Amino acid sequence: MTGASGFSVSGYGPERSVWARLFARDSLARRLDWPILLSAITLSLIGAALVYSATRNRTELNQGDPYYFLVRHLLNTGIGFALMIGTVWLGHRTLRTAVPILYGLSVFLILLVLTPLGATINGSHAWIKLPGGFSLQPSEFVKITIILGMAMLLAARVDAGDKPYPDHRTVLQALGLATVPILIVLLMPDLGSVMVMVIIVLGVLLASGASNRWVLGLIGTGAAGAIAVWQLGILDEYQINRFAAFANPELDPAGVGYNTNQARIAIGSGGLFGTGLGNGSQTTGQFVPEQQTDFVFTVAGEELGFLGAGLILLLLGIVLWRACRIARETTELYGTIVAAGIIAWFAFQSFENVGMTLGIMPVAGLPLPFVSYGGSSMFAVWVAVGLLQSIRVQRPMSA
C-alpha cells in the first residue's frame, strides 16, 4: 500500500500511513525548525514555574489566588502558540503584502497610548487599558511591523533582480518608516522599547547589504539623539535615576539602586543548584520587585541555581543559533532581513534583561523573551517564531 505522500507503507496499517504522511520529506512537520519550537515551549514552561513561585504568596497582586498568574501565563502562552500557527499558515510572504495595513494599525495603537486611553503600569506609560482588567502594550507589536516594513522596502528591488543591494534612497525610506513609531514610543516615554527598536534597525540594515556608512551614521545619530533626549528632559525622573544607579551602584542602595542590589543578592544566593523552586528567601520574602516580569531571571538564579539559569541561557542560545541558520539558508533577501531583525531583537532584549539583574546593564523594564509574565510580549515573541518558521517552511527544499 502506498500513502498519499508516495511512501510505501505496506504492512504497517493506517496509523503508519498517517505518520508517514505527516513526516514525509515535503511535509510541514519535517520543514519546521523543531529546535526553535521545542526551546521556545520549554522556556515558556520554565517561565510558568518561575512566575508561579514569584507570585503565589503575593496576595496584593494575585487577588488571593496563588495560581492566578500561573493560569494567565499559560493562557498567554497558549494564545501565543496559536498566533504562531496562524503566522505560519498565512506565511511571511502574505504578511509582506499586508505591511501597510499592519504598519498603520500599529502606529494608530501607539498613538492611543498618548490619549486618555493610555495607562501607566510599573512607572511606564506604555499601555492601553482594555475591558475585563486586561491591558495591551502596542510597542511590542511595533517591533514586528518595523521588521516587516523595513524588510519589504529594502528587499523589494533586490529580490526582483533590479539591484544587487538597496540603494541610498531605499535605505532612507526604510529609516523614515522606522523613525515614526520610534519617536512616538520615545514620547511615552518607553526607553526600553526604543533601545530594542534601534538595535532592530541596525540588525536589519546590516543584513540588507546596505552601505556601512548608513550603519555608522545611524550609530552616530543614535548617540547624538541620546544626548539630546537627556538634555531636553524628555525622560522621566525614574528613568534618569535608573541610569544614575547603573553608573554608581552605591549612589542610593535603599532607593534607586534597590532593585539591582536585591537582584544580585538573589542570584548570588542560589549557588550551583539553587535553593529549590519555592524555597528562595529573597523570592519568598518579596525583596525583589517585579519578579514575575522584568526580574524573573532572579527567581531562576536563586531557586534553580547556576545550572537552572544556565539552562535558560542555553535555550535562548539555541533559538538564536537556529534563527541565524534560517537567515543564512533562505534564498530571498526579504526572509534574511526578517530573520535578522528577529535575531537582533531577541539577542539584545535577552542580554539587557539578564544584564540588568546582574548589574552590568541599566534597568530598562524589558521582559525576558518567553519567560517573563506578560501577554503582549508573549504574543509578540511567538508571532516572531511563526515568522522564522514560515521562512524555513517556504524555502526551496534544496536550500
Side-chain angles (χ1 to χ4, degrees):
M1 163 180 161
T2 302
S5 61
F7 288 86
S8 175
V9 290
S10 176
Y12 290 97
E15 292 80 7
R16 180 65 177 178
S17 176
V18 172
W19 186 262
R21 290 198 300 271
L22 182 62
F23 287 96
R25 184 175 182 271
D26 60 347
S27 69
L28 175 62
R30 283 288 295 272
R31 284 173 171 252
L32 290 175
D33 193 294
W34 285 96
I36 284 182
L37 188 58
L38 294 177
S39 295
I41 291 173
T42 304
L43 284 167
S44 296
L45 294 178
I46 292 175
L50 299 179
V51 167
Y52 170 70
S53 180
T55 60
R56 60 195 177 93
N57 294 323
R58 299 293 298 270
T59 55
E60 77 281 7
L61 296 177
N62 62 27
Q63 303 179 17
D65 179 7
Y67 300 102
Y68 177 80
F69 283 95
L70 172 63
V71 171
R72 290 168 76 97
H73 181 89
L74 292 174
L75 178 62
N76 290 337
T77 301
I79 295 174
F81 191 83
L83 290 173
M84 184 270 295
I85 294 174
T87 303
V88 176
W89 179 74
L90 285 173
H92 66 292
R93 293 171 184 163
T94 300
L95 291 174
R96 182 179 189 169
T97 63
V99 163
I101 298 174
L102 296 174
Y103 180 80
L105 179 60
S106 64
V107 170
F108 173 73
L109 288 175
I110 55 176
L111 284 173
L112 284 182
V113 176
L114 302 178
T115 71
L117 294 176
T120 300
I121 298 179
N122 298 331
S124 179
H125 189 79
W127 303 80
I128 299 174
K129 279 291 186 180
L130 301 176
F134 295 96
S135 57
L136 179 71
Q137 189 176 11
S139 57
E140 291 292 337
F141 304 101
V142 170
K143 300 170 187 175
I144 298 173
T145 54
I146 287 177
I147 292 171
L148 292 175
M150 293 189 69
M152 179 194 70
L153 291 173
L154 293 170
R157 301 185 69 179
V158 177
D159 284 340
D162 297 337
K163 286 185 175 292
Y165 49 83
D167 56 26
H168 294 315
R169 180 179 178 181
T170 301
V171 173
L172 193 60
Q173 290 173 340
L175 289 176
L177 178 144
T179 299
V180 173
I182 288 176
L183 289 178
I184 297 173
V185 174
L186 183 61
L187 290 175
M188 293 179 182
D190 183 359
L191 187 59
S193 294
V194 169
M195 292 167 60
V196 176
M197 293 173 192
V198 170
I199 295 298
I200 287 173
V201 172
L202 283 172
V204 164
L205 286 182
L206 287 170
S208 71
S211 171
N212 289 334
R213 286 178 293 178
W214 283 105
V215 177
L216 295 175
L218 185 61
I219 293 174
T221 302
I227 295 173
V229 166
W230 186 279
Q231 294 294 327
L232 293 174
I234 295 177
L235 299 182
D236 286 339
E237 183 179 357
Y238 79 93
Q239 293 173 319
I240 296 174
N241 289 338
R242 285 176 174 179
F243 281 98
F246 169 68
N248 182 9
E250 304 303 323
L251 177 65
D252 186 7
V256 295
Y258 177 82
N259 290 11
T260 301
N261 289 331
Q262 293 300 320
R264 295 171 69 179
I265 292 172
I267 293 175
S269 65
L272 182 62
F273 299 104
T275 59
L277 195 65
N279 296 322
S281 59
Q282 289 290 112
T283 300
T284 304
Q286 304 174 16
F287 291 104
V288 184
E290 309 302 334
Q291 271 196 296
Q292 75 275 18
T293 53
D294 300 346
F295 288 90
V296 70
F297 191 74
T298 64
V299 187
E302 180 179 30
E303 299 188 347
L304 303 182
F306 177 81
L307 294 180
L311 175 61
I312 292 176
L313 298 180
L314 174 63
L315 292 170
L316 288 169
I318 291 173
V319 172
L320 294 172
W321 162 55
R322 298 298 297 186
C324 288
R325 183 169 180 175
I326 290 172
R328 185 178 67 250
E329 293 181 350
T330 184
T331 57
E332 58 177 4
L333 181 60
Y334 174 72
T336 297
I337 294 175
V338 171
I342 294 170
I343 293 166
W345 167 13
F346 283 9
F348 177 78
Q349 190 159 313
S350 299
F351 178 75
E352 164 61 30
N353 179 277
V354 174
M356 70 183 187
T357 65
L358 298 175
I360 61 174
M361 291 293 285
V363 176
L366 291 173
L368 186 60
F370 304 103
V371 182
S372 292
Y373 174 80
S376 299
S377 59
M378 186 68 77
F379 302 159
V381 295
W382 275 106
V383 169
V385 170
L387 289 171
L388 291 172
Q389 297 289 4
S390 173
I391 295 167
R392 177 176 170 83
V393 164
Q394 294 189 21
R395 70 176 184 173
M397 288 302 293
S398 59

PDB file of all heavy atoms in Angstrom, residues 148-181:
ATOM      1  N   LEU A 148       9.081  43.925   9.499  1.00  0.00           N
ATOM      2  CA  LEU A 148       8.411  43.588   8.239  1.00  0.00           C
ATOM      3  C   LEU A 148       8.437  44.764   7.263  1.00  0.00           C
ATOM      4  O   LEU A 148       8.670  44.579   6.057  1.00  0.00           O
ATOM      5  CB  LEU A 148       6.965  43.167   8.513  1.00  0.00           C
ATOM      6  CG  LEU A 148       6.759  41.852   9.266  1.00  0.00           C
ATOM      7  CD1 LEU A 148       5.283  41.634   9.555  1.00  0.00           C
ATOM      8  CD2 LEU A 148       7.308  40.677   8.463  1.00  0.00           C
ATOM      9  N   GLY A 149       8.187  45.972   7.767  1.00  0.00           N
ATOM     10  CA  GLY A 149       8.147  47.141   6.894  1.00  0.00           C
ATOM     11  C   GLY A 149       9.501  47.449   6.276  1.00  0.00           C
ATOM     12  O   GLY A 149       9.612  47.694   5.069  1.00  0.00           O
ATOM     13  N   MET A 150      10.556  47.453   7.097  1.00  0.00           N
ATOM     14  CA  MET A 150      11.888  47.727   6.568  1.00  0.00           C
ATOM     15  C   MET A 150      12.327  46.626   5.610  1.00  0.00           C
ATOM     16  O   MET A 150      12.954  46.899   4.570  1.00  0.00           O
ATOM     17  CB  MET A 150      12.887  47.878   7.714  1.00  0.00           C
ATOM     18  CG  MET A 150      12.681  49.097   8.585  1.00  0.00           C
ATOM     19  SD  MET A 150      14.052  49.361   9.753  1.00  0.00           S
ATOM     20  CE  MET A 150      15.388  49.831   8.644  1.00  0.00           C
ATOM     21  N   ALA A 151      12.011  45.376   5.941  1.00  0.00           N
ATOM     22  CA  ALA A 151      12.379  44.265   5.063  1.00  0.00           C
ATOM     23  C   ALA A 151      11.683  44.390   3.710  1.00  0.00           C
ATOM     24  O   ALA A 151      12.283  44.134   2.656  1.00  0.00           O
ATOM     25  CB  ALA A 151      12.027  42.941   5.725  1.00  0.00           C
ATOM     26  N   MET A 152      10.417  44.771   3.727  1.00  0.00           N
ATOM     27  CA  MET A 152       9.665  44.927   2.484  1.00  0.00           C
ATOM     28  C   MET A 152      10.330  45.974   1.587  1.00  0.00           C
ATOM     29  O   MET A 152      10.519  45.746   0.383  1.00  0.00           O
ATOM     30  CB  MET A 152       8.231  45.340   2.784  1.00  0.00           C
ATOM     31  CG  MET A 152       7.368  45.563   1.550  1.00  0.00           C
ATOM     32  SD  MET A 152       5.824  46.419   1.915  1.00  0.00           S
ATOM     33  CE  MET A 152       6.422  48.075   2.320  1.00  0.00           C
ATOM     34  N   LEU A 153      10.696  47.116   2.147  1.00  0.00           N
ATOM     35  CA  LEU A 153      11.298  48.184   1.355  1.00  0.00           C
ATOM     36  C   LEU A 153      12.699  47.824   0.879  1.00  0.00           C
ATOM     37  O   LEU A 153      13.044  48.009  -0.296  1.00  0.00           O
ATOM     38  CB  LEU A 153      11.339  49.475   2.173  1.00  0.00           C
ATOM     39  CG  LEU A 153       9.989  50.146   2.464  1.00  0.00           C
ATOM     40  CD1 LEU A 153      10.182  51.313   3.421  1.00  0.00           C
ATOM     41  CD2 LEU A 153       9.338  50.630   1.177  1.00  0.00           C
ATOM     42  N   LEU A 154      13.517  47.325   1.797  1.00  0.00           N
ATOM     43  CA  LEU A 154      14.920  47.082   1.474  1.00  0.00           C
ATOM     44  C   LEU A 154      15.111  45.929   0.492  1.00  0.00           C
ATOM     45  O   LEU A 154      16.081  45.912  -0.276  1.00  0.00           O
ATOM     46  CB  LEU A 154      15.705  46.801   2.756  1.00  0.00           C
ATOM     47  CG  LEU A 154      15.845  47.977   3.727  1.00  0.00           C
ATOM     48  CD1 LEU A 154      16.413  47.519   5.062  1.00  0.00           C
ATOM     49  CD2 LEU A 154      16.739  49.064   3.125  1.00  0.00           C
ATOM     50  N   ALA A 155      14.195  44.958   0.516  1.00  0.00           N
ATOM     51  CA  ALA A 155      14.367  43.763  -0.324  1.00  0.00           C
ATOM     52  C   ALA A 155      13.610  43.831  -1.636  1.00  0.00           C
ATOM     53  O   ALA A 155      13.819  42.979  -2.504  1.00  0.00           O
ATOM     54  CB  ALA A 155      13.920  42.519   0.455  1.00  0.00           C
ATOM     55  N   ALA A 156      12.734  44.815  -1.811  1.00  0.00           N
ATOM     56  CA  ALA A 156      11.833  44.830  -2.973  1.00  0.00           C
ATOM     57  C   ALA A 156      12.598  44.740  -4.294  1.00  0.00           C
ATOM     58  O   ALA A 156      12.371  43.833  -5.106  1.00  0.00           O
ATOM     59  CB  ALA A 156      10.958  46.078  -2.932  1.00  0.00           C
ATOM     60  N   ARG A 157      13.515  45.653  -4.535  1.00  0.00           N
ATOM     61  CA  ARG A 157      14.204  45.698  -5.824  1.00  0.00           C
ATOM     62  C   ARG A 157      15.313  44.646  -5.918  1.00  0.00           C
ATOM     63  O   ARG A 157      15.667  44.213  -7.019  1.00  0.00           O
ATOM     64  CB  ARG A 157      14.771  47.101  -6.060  1.00  0.00           C
ATOM     65  CG  ARG A 157      13.699  48.184  -6.061  1.00  0.00           C
ATOM     66  CD  ARG A 157      14.247  49.546  -6.400  1.00  0.00           C
ATOM     67  NE  ARG A 157      14.671  49.627  -7.794  1.00  0.00           N
ATOM     68  CZ  ARG A 157      15.173  50.729  -8.351  1.00  0.00           C
ATOM     69  NH1 ARG A 157      15.308  51.830  -7.625  1.00  0.00           N
ATOM     70  NH2 ARG A 157      15.558  50.729  -9.622  1.00  0.00           N
ATOM     71  N   VAL A 158      15.845  44.239  -4.766  1.00  0.00           N
ATOM     72  CA  VAL A 158      16.885  43.207  -4.777  1.00  0.00           C
ATOM     73  C   VAL A 158      16.279  41.852  -5.137  1.00  0.00           C
ATOM     74  O   VAL A 158      16.793  41.136  -6.006  1.00  0.00           O
ATOM     75  CB  VAL A 158      17.599  43.141  -3.412  1.00  0.00           C
ATOM     76  CG1 VAL A 158      18.628  42.011  -3.398  1.00  0.00           C
ATOM     77  CG2 VAL A 158      18.263  44.473  -3.095  1.00  0.00           C
ATOM     78  N   ASP A 159      15.170  41.475  -4.472  1.00  0.00           N
ATOM     79  CA  ASP A 159      14.524  40.197  -4.771  1.00  0.00           C
ATOM     80  C   ASP A 159      13.968  40.171  -6.189  1.00  0.00           C
ATOM     81  O   ASP A 159      13.841  39.100  -6.796  1.00  0.00           O
ATOM     82  CB  ASP A 159      13.412  39.918  -3.759  1.00  0.00           C
ATOM     83  CG  ASP A 159      13.951  39.462  -2.406  1.00  0.00           C
ATOM     84  OD1 ASP A 159      15.111  39.008  -2.365  1.00  0.00           O
ATOM     85  OD2 ASP A 159      13.223  39.557  -1.401  1.00  0.00           O
ATOM     86  N   ALA A 160      13.619  41.343  -6.717  1.00  0.00           N
ATOM     87  CA  ALA A 160      13.114  41.405  -8.094  1.00  0.00           C
ATOM     88  C   ALA A 160      14.243  41.325  -9.116  1.00  0.00           C
ATOM     89  O   ALA A 160      13.983  41.204 -10.322  1.00  0.00           O
ATOM     90  CB  ALA A 160      12.329  42.700  -8.300  1.00  0.00           C
ATOM     91  N   GLY A 161      15.471  41.390  -8.657  1.00  0.00           N
ATOM     92  CA  GLY A 161      16.616  41.284  -9.550  1.00  0.00           C
ATOM     93  C   GLY A 161      17.045  42.591 -10.163  1.00  0.00           C
ATOM     94  O   GLY A 161      17.923  42.619 -11.045  1.00  0.00           O
ATOM     95  N   ASP A 162      16.472  43.708  -9.714  1.00  0.00           N
ATOM     96  CA  ASP A 162      16.817  45.013 -10.288  1.00  0.00           C
ATOM     97  C   ASP A 162      18.142  45.551  -9.767  1.00  0.00           C
ATOM     98  O   ASP A 162      18.852  46.272 -10.474  1.00  0.00           O
ATOM     99  CB  ASP A 162      15.713  46.034  -9.992  1.00  0.00           C
ATOM    100  CG  ASP A 162      14.396  45.654 -10.643  1.00  0.00           C
ATOM    101  OD1 ASP A 162      14.433  44.890 -11.627  1.00  0.00           O
ATOM    102  OD2 ASP A 162      13.340  46.114 -10.167  1.00  0.00           O
ATOM    103  N   LYS A 163      18.464  45.231  -8.513  1.00  0.00           N
ATOM    104  CA  LYS A 163      19.680  45.757  -7.897  1.00  0.00           C
ATOM    105  C   LYS A 163      20.323  44.680  -7.020  1.00  0.00           C
ATOM    106  O   LYS A 163      19.623  43.827  -6.464  1.00  0.00           O
ATOM    107  CB  LYS A 163      19.376  46.995  -7.047  1.00  0.00           C
ATOM    108  CG  LYS A 163      19.086  48.267  -7.864  1.00  0.00           C
ATOM    109  CD  LYS A 163      18.909  49.463  -6.956  1.00  0.00           C
ATOM    110  CE  LYS A 163      18.755  50.735  -7.778  1.00  0.00           C
ATOM    111  NZ  LYS A 163      19.998  51.102  -8.494  1.00  0.00           N
ATOM    112  N   PRO A 164      21.651  44.722  -6.875  1.00  0.00           N
ATOM    113  CA  PRO A 164      22.301  43.723  -6.013  1.00  0.00           C
ATOM    114  C   PRO A 164      22.180  44.039  -4.526  1.00  0.00           C
ATOM    115  O   PRO A 164      22.352  43.169  -3.685  1.00  0.00           O
ATOM    116  CB  PRO A 164      23.766  43.783  -6.468  1.00  0.00           C
ATOM    117  CG  PRO A 164      23.935  45.185  -6.982  1.00  0.00           C
ATOM    118  CD  PRO A 164      22.619  45.553  -7.604  1.00  0.00           C
ATOM    119  N   TYR A 165      21.880  45.301  -4.197  1.00  0.00           N
ATOM    120  CA  TYR A 165      21.741  45.714  -2.802  1.00  0.00           C
ATOM    121  C   TYR A 165      20.898  46.994  -2.766  1.00  0.00           C
ATOM    122  O   TYR A 165      20.744  47.679  -3.782  1.00  0.00           O
ATOM    123  CB  TYR A 165      23.102  45.957  -2.143  1.00  0.00           C
ATOM    124  CG  TYR A 165      24.016  46.839  -2.947  1.00  0.00           C
ATOM    125  CD1 TYR A 165      23.903  48.229  -2.884  1.00  0.00           C
ATOM    126  CD2 TYR A 165      25.000  46.297  -3.771  1.00  0.00           C
ATOM    127  CE1 TYR A 165      24.741  49.056  -3.622  1.00  0.00           C
ATOM    128  CE2 TYR A 165      25.836  47.115  -4.516  1.00  0.00           C
ATOM    129  CZ  TYR A 165      25.703  48.481  -4.443  1.00  0.00           C
ATOM    130  OH  TYR A 165      26.524  49.286  -5.180  1.00  0.00           O
ATOM    131  N   PRO A 166      20.325  47.335  -1.602  1.00  0.00           N
ATOM    132  CA  PRO A 166      19.461  48.523  -1.519  1.00  0.00           C
ATOM    133  C   PRO A 166      20.240  49.804  -1.812  1.00  0.00           C
ATOM    134  O   PRO A 166      21.372  49.969  -1.358  1.00  0.00           O
ATOM    135  CB  PRO A 166      18.954  48.503  -0.067  1.00  0.00           C
ATOM    136  CG  PRO A 166      19.195  47.120   0.412  1.00  0.00           C
ATOM    137  CD  PRO A 166      20.387  46.618  -0.321  1.00  0.00           C
ATOM    138  N   ASP A 167      19.630  50.710  -2.582  1.00  0.00           N
ATOM    139  CA  ASP A 167      20.284  51.987  -2.846  1.00  0.00           C
ATOM    140  C   ASP A 167      20.011  52.969  -1.707  1.00  0.00           C
ATOM    141  O   ASP A 167      19.234  52.686  -0.789  1.00  0.00           O
ATOM    142  CB  ASP A 167      19.826  52.569  -4.188  1.00  0.00           C
ATOM    143  CG  ASP A 167      18.307  52.738  -4.269  1.00  0.00           C
ATOM    144  OD1 ASP A 167      17.662  52.892  -3.213  1.00  0.00           O
ATOM    145  OD2 ASP A 167      17.765  52.703  -5.386  1.00  0.00           O
ATOM    146  N   HIS A 168      20.640  54.128  -1.771  1.00  0.00           N
ATOM    147  CA  HIS A 168      20.545  55.099  -0.680  1.00  0.00           C
ATOM    148  C   HIS A 168      19.102  55.590  -0.487  1.00  0.00           C
ATOM    149  O   HIS A 168      18.666  55.810   0.648  1.00  0.00           O
ATOM    150  CB  HIS A 168      21.476  56.281  -0.942  1.00  0.00           C
ATOM    151  CG  HIS A 168      22.927  55.917  -0.906  1.00  0.00           C
ATOM    152  ND1 HIS A 168      23.471  55.122   0.074  1.00  0.00           N
ATOM    153  CD2 HIS A 168      23.958  56.242  -1.734  1.00  0.00           C
ATOM    154  CE1 HIS A 168      24.767  54.973  -0.127  1.00  0.00           C
ATOM    155  NE2 HIS A 168      25.092  55.633  -1.230  1.00  0.00           N
ATOM    156  N   ARG A 169      18.391  55.779  -1.588  1.00  0.00           N
ATOM    157  CA  ARG A 169      17.013  56.260  -1.476  1.00  0.00           C
ATOM    158  C   ARG A 169      16.141  55.249  -0.739  1.00  0.00           C
ATOM    159  O   ARG A 169      15.336  55.614   0.115  1.00  0.00           O
ATOM    160  CB  ARG A 169      16.453  56.538  -2.866  1.00  0.00           C
ATOM    161  CG  ARG A 169      15.012  57.047  -2.851  1.00  0.00           C
ATOM    162  CD  ARG A 169      14.522  57.319  -4.261  1.00  0.00           C
ATOM    163  NE  ARG A 169      13.138  57.770  -4.252  1.00  0.00           N
ATOM    164  CZ  ARG A 169      12.448  58.058  -5.347  1.00  0.00           C
ATOM    165  NH1 ARG A 169      13.028  57.933  -6.542  1.00  0.00           N
ATOM    166  NH2 ARG A 169      11.200  58.453  -5.258  1.00  0.00           N
ATOM    167  N   THR A 170      16.319  53.968  -1.050  1.00  0.00           N
ATOM    168  CA  THR A 170      15.540  52.917  -0.389  1.00  0.00           C
ATOM    169  C   THR A 170      15.860  52.847   1.096  1.00  0.00           C
ATOM    170  O   THR A 170      14.967  52.691   1.936  1.00  0.00           O
ATOM    171  CB  THR A 170      15.819  51.559  -1.051  1.00  0.00           C
ATOM    172  OG1 THR A 170      15.483  51.621  -2.441  1.00  0.00           O
ATOM    173  CG2 THR A 170      14.993  50.462  -0.396  1.00  0.00           C
ATOM    174  N   VAL A 171      17.151  52.942   1.429  1.00  0.00           N
ATOM    175  CA  VAL A 171      17.559  52.912   2.842  1.00  0.00           C
ATOM    176  C   VAL A 171      16.932  54.088   3.587  1.00  0.00           C
ATOM    177  O   VAL A 171      16.437  53.931   4.718  1.00  0.00           O
ATOM    178  CB  VAL A 171      19.088  52.941   2.964  1.00  0.00           C
ATOM    179  CG1 VAL A 171      19.497  53.077   4.435  1.00  0.00           C
ATOM    180  CG2 VAL A 171      19.697  51.684   2.366  1.00  0.00           C
ATOM    181  N   LEU A 172      16.924  55.257   2.967  1.00  0.00           N
ATOM    182  CA  LEU A 172      16.347  56.441   3.602  1.00  0.00           C
ATOM    183  C   LEU A 172      14.846  56.253   3.839  1.00  0.00           C
ATOM    184  O   LEU A 172      14.321  56.634   4.896  1.00  0.00           O
ATOM    185  CB  LEU A 172      16.600  57.668   2.732  1.00  0.00           C
ATOM    186  CG  LEU A 172      16.342  59.036   3.384  1.00  0.00           C
ATOM    187  CD1 LEU A 172      17.231  59.218   4.607  1.00  0.00           C
ATOM    188  CD2 LEU A 172      16.578  60.159   2.383  1.00  0.00           C
ATOM    189  N   GLN A 173      14.157  55.651   2.888  1.00  0.00           N
ATOM    190  CA  GLN A 173      12.729  55.376   3.057  1.00  0.00           C
ATOM    191  C   GLN A 173      12.495  54.394   4.208  1.00  0.00           C
ATOM    192  O   GLN A 173      11.575  54.576   5.016  1.00  0.00           O
ATOM    193  CB  GLN A 173      12.152  54.807   1.760  1.00  0.00           C
ATOM    194  CG  GLN A 173      12.073  55.804   0.620  1.00  0.00           C
ATOM    195  CD  GLN A 173      11.658  55.153  -0.687  1.00  0.00           C
ATOM    196  OE1 GLN A 173      11.771  53.938  -0.862  1.00  0.00           O
ATOM    197  NE2 GLN A 173      11.182  55.965  -1.623  1.00  0.00           N
ATOM    198  N   ALA A 174      13.325  53.353   4.286  1.00  0.00           N
ATOM    199  CA  ALA A 174      13.189  52.365   5.360  1.00  0.00           C
ATOM    200  C   ALA A 174      13.438  52.991   6.725  1.00  0.00           C
ATOM    201  O   ALA A 174      12.732  52.696   7.699  1.00  0.00           O
ATOM    202  CB  ALA A 174      14.144  51.201   5.118  1.00  0.00           C
ATOM    203  N   LEU A 175      14.441  53.866   6.802  1.00  0.00           N
ATOM    204  CA  LEU A 175      14.727  54.542   8.069  1.00  0.00           C
ATOM    205  C   LEU A 175      13.587  55.477   8.458  1.00  0.00           C
ATOM    206  O   LEU A 175      13.233  55.595   9.632  1.00  0.00           O
ATOM    207  CB  LEU A 175      16.034  55.321   7.968  1.00  0.00           C
ATOM    208  CG  LEU A 175      17.311  54.489   7.903  1.00  0.00           C
ATOM    209  CD1 LEU A 175      18.527  55.382   7.698  1.00  0.00           C
ATOM    210  CD2 LEU A 175      17.485  53.644   9.157  1.00  0.00           C
ATOM    211  N   GLY A 176      12.995  56.138   7.470  1.00  0.00           N
ATOM    212  CA  GLY A 176      11.848  57.001   7.752  1.00  0.00           C
ATOM    213  C   GLY A 176      10.671  56.208   8.279  1.00  0.00           C
ATOM    214  O   GLY A 176       9.978  56.644   9.215  1.00  0.00           O
ATOM    215  N   LEU A 177      10.449  55.029   7.704  1.00  0.00           N
ATOM    216  CA  LEU A 177       9.360  54.163   8.175  1.00  0.00           C
ATOM    217  C   LEU A 177       9.562  53.787   9.639  1.00  0.00           C
ATOM    218  O   LEU A 177       8.602  53.754  10.421  1.00  0.00           O
ATOM    219  CB  LEU A 177       9.299  52.917   7.294  1.00  0.00           C
ATOM    220  CG  LEU A 177       8.257  51.842   7.636  1.00  0.00           C
ATOM    221  CD1 LEU A 177       7.697  51.215   6.355  1.00  0.00           C
ATOM    222  CD2 LEU A 177       8.866  50.746   8.509  1.00  0.00           C
ATOM    223  N   ALA A 178      10.796  53.482  10.024  1.00  0.00           N
ATOM    224  CA  ALA A 178      11.071  53.069  11.408  1.00  0.00           C
ATOM    225  C   ALA A 178      11.063  54.253  12.367  1.00  0.00           C
ATOM    226  O   ALA A 178      10.701  54.104  13.541  1.00  0.00           O
ATOM    227  CB  ALA A 178      12.421  52.357  11.477  1.00  0.00           C
ATOM    228  N   THR A 179      11.456  55.423  11.892  1.00  0.00           N
ATOM    229  CA  THR A 179      11.606  56.582  12.768  1.00  0.00           C
ATOM    230  C   THR A 179      10.276  57.040  13.359  1.00  0.00           C
ATOM    231  O   THR A 179      10.213  57.431  14.534  1.00  0.00           O
ATOM    232  CB  THR A 179      12.256  57.745  12.001  1.00  0.00           C
ATOM    233  OG1 THR A 179      13.553  57.343  11.550  1.00  0.00           O
ATOM    234  CG2 THR A 179      12.390  58.978  12.886  1.00  0.00           C
ATOM    235  N   VAL A 180       9.208  56.993  12.570  1.00  0.00           N
ATOM    236  CA  VAL A 180       7.903  57.495  13.045  1.00  0.00           C
ATOM    237  C   VAL A 180       7.451  56.775  14.312  1.00  0.00           C
ATOM    238  O   VAL A 180       7.207  57.421  15.347  1.00  0.00           O
ATOM    239  CB  VAL A 180       6.845  57.393  11.931  1.00  0.00           C
ATOM    240  CG1 VAL A 180       5.463  57.743  12.479  1.00  0.00           C
ATOM    241  CG2 VAL A 180       7.198  58.309  10.771  1.00  0.00           C
ATOM    242  N   PRO A 181       7.333  55.436  14.323  1.00  0.00           N
ATOM    243  CA  PRO A 181       6.899  54.784  15.571  1.00  0.00           C
ATOM    244  C   PRO A 181       7.916  54.902  16.694  1.00  0.00           C
ATOM    245  O   PRO A 181       7.536  54.973  17.869  1.00  0.00           O
ATOM    246  CB  PRO A 181       6.684  53.317  15.157  1.00  0.00           C
ATOM    247  CG  PRO A 181       7.494  53.145  13.924  1.00  0.00           C
ATOM    248  CD  PRO A 181       7.481  54.459  13.226  1.00  0.00           C
TER     249      PRO A 181
END
